[in-house]
Amino acid sequence: MPELPEVETIVRALRKGGRGDVSIVQRRIHSVDLRWARTLASPKIEDFSKRIIGHQITDVTRRGKFIIIHLDEGFILVHLRMSGDLRVTAPPIPAPAPHDRLIITFEDGHGLIFNDPRKFGRVWLTNDPSEVTGNLGPEPFDLTFTPGIFYQNLHRRKKYIKSLLLDQSFVAGLGNIYVDESLFKAGIFPLRLSNTLSIQEANKLLEAIRETLKDGINNNGASIDWVYRGGDYQNKFRVYQQTGKPCQICGSPIERIVAGQRGTHYCPKCQPKGVDK
Ligand SMILES: [Zn+2]
């Protein structure tokens, strides 16, 4: 599933060009072809088309794992979920591929295609993105999200740290890859209870999350899903899906456990079970 670095990479490409695609900013929408009805969460297709055709895209941003396409009036939000991808095509618009769910054509002949083999991805049109993004937690890079606030939030809960970091209402944008890699970087055992972390550990963990995400973004995300194109971060994994391989720091074999129904990878020596004083 695309996580913050993959979504950010897609957002930057849509905004400025990249991944072999051109920017969609300033293009004006000419037509809409919805090829899988449930892809469009709201409103109904007739209303969606009426409200976006003739309108211009002014910016593309991200909140958590949501892509926010700003129009001169309203916002199109896209959540890629398991397997979604957005690509921009040059004119003429190609014949639809098997998993193309929504095709937006621009007046200049370019197209924006939402492709989603597993059909879990969703698209919304709204005047208020927060109506769709709901109660998302803080953005990891938001500087008002301080180590002190992070520590307080950790201590308000009593959950496995791995599960809590996956909870989008606790912090936005993280998924299985970047949580495992961040916990390794911070030297914290994934099944530690969140309220047992010291202020120093909370500090270290927030820094590790930011560095790991930044590293992911700098490598254009991770291409482990056959649908996500162009990432290199899979070559930088130190624990994620590295079960049995030697830890790059201490040489111990990386282990896999299940935490909150998610496969979790860690180094038993670098991430000891006990509370680190
Ligand atoms: Zn190790």
Side-chain angles (χ1 to χ4, degrees):
M1 178 193 274
E3 304 180 27
L4 189 154
E6 290 78 35
V7 176
E8 180 65 24
T9 303
I10 292 170
V11 162
R12 288 181 184 184
L14 293 174
R15 191 168 60 228
K16 299 182 297 198
R19 304 176 88 215
D21 293 342
V22 295
S23 163
I24 60 169
V25 173
Q26 294 193 328
R27 297 188 199 278
R28 198 172 287 278
I29 296 169
H30 175 261
S31 62
V32 177
D33 179 10
L34 179 65
R35 309 187 60 78
W36 175 253
R38 276 155 61 187
T39 292
L40 185 60
S42 85
K44 297 269 182 246
I45 180 62
E46 297 75 21
D47 196 19
F48 181 77
S49 301
K50 202 169 16 170
R51 284 164 60 187
I52 70 168
I53 287 174
H55 286 274
Q56 197 174 25
I57 292 174
T58 58
D59 200 2
V60 186
T61 58
R62 180 191 58 73
R63 173 78 173 98
K65 300 177 194 169
F66 287 89
I67 294 165
I68 305 179
I69 299 171
H70 303 231
L71 301 175
D72 49 22
E73 206 180 322
F75 302 86
I76 298 171
L77 271 72
V78 180
H79 199 299
L80 304 170
R81 297 268 166 79
M82 300 297 288
S83 63
D85 192 14
L86 283 167
R87 69 179 196 276
V88 183
T89 57
I93 297 289
H99 305 300
D100 289 349
R101 307 298 177 198
L102 176 69
I103 301 173
I104 292 175
T105 310
F106 300 110
E107 285 182 352
D108 66 2
H110 283 81
L112 176 65
I113 299 177
F114 179 58
N115 184 278
D116 184 22
R118 298 186 63 179
K119 301 180 183 169
F120 292 113
R122 290 292 177 268
V123 175
W124 298 259
L125 175 68
T126 179
N127 289 322
D128 176 8
S130 70
E131 280 179 5
V132 176
T133 57
N135 63 336
L136 279 183
E139 280 293 318
F141 293 120
D142 185 345
L143 293 178
T144 64
F145 182 40
T146 61
I149 291 173
F150 183 52
Y151 175 78
Q152 279 173 17
N153 293 350
L154 287 169
H155 279 252
R156 275 200 200 104
R157 311 289 288 269
K158 191 182 175 184
K159 274 180 87 177
Y160 292 146
I161 186 65
K162 163 83 189 231
S163 305
L164 196 55
L165 294 179
L166 289 174
D167 180 347
Q168 300 299 297
S169 70
F170 183 77
V171 57
L174 293 170
N176 223 20
I177 295 173
Y178 295 94
V179 170
D180 281 7
E181 293 294 331
S182 299
L183 287 170
F184 173 74
K185 198 178 189 74
I188 294 170
F189 180 58
L191 299 188
R192 281 278 298 281
L193 289 174
S194 56
N195 62 343
T196 67
L197 265 68
S198 67
I199 183 79
Q200 290 81 3
E201 285 175 315
N203 231 317
K204 206 170 166 189
L205 180 55
L206 183 58
E207 204 176 291
I209 289 168
R210 286 175 169 158
E211 283 174 7
T212 304
L213 290 173
K214 216 173 276 175
D215 211 13
I217 293 168
N218 289 340
N219 285 279
N220 298 318
S223 294
I224 50 158
D225 305 322
W226 47 283
V227 288
Y228 179 77
R229 307 168 281 136
D232 289 319
Y233 191 64
Q234 67 279 9
N235 303 315
K236 301 277 176 77
F237 290 165
R238 297 201 287 173
V239 287
Y240 185 76
Q241 290 185 345
Q242 304 299 304
T243 313
K245 291 186 188 163
C247 169
Q248 292 176 16
I249 293 175
C250 75
S252 306
I254 300 301
E255 293 186 6
R256 182 184 186 277
I257 49 172
V258 175
Q261 297 171 329
R262 304 298 297 274
T264 297
H265 313 80
Y266 74 106
C267 170
K269 202 167 164 195
C270 297
Q271 296 166 268
K273 288 179 184 165
V275 176
D276 197 17
K277 293 289 178 195

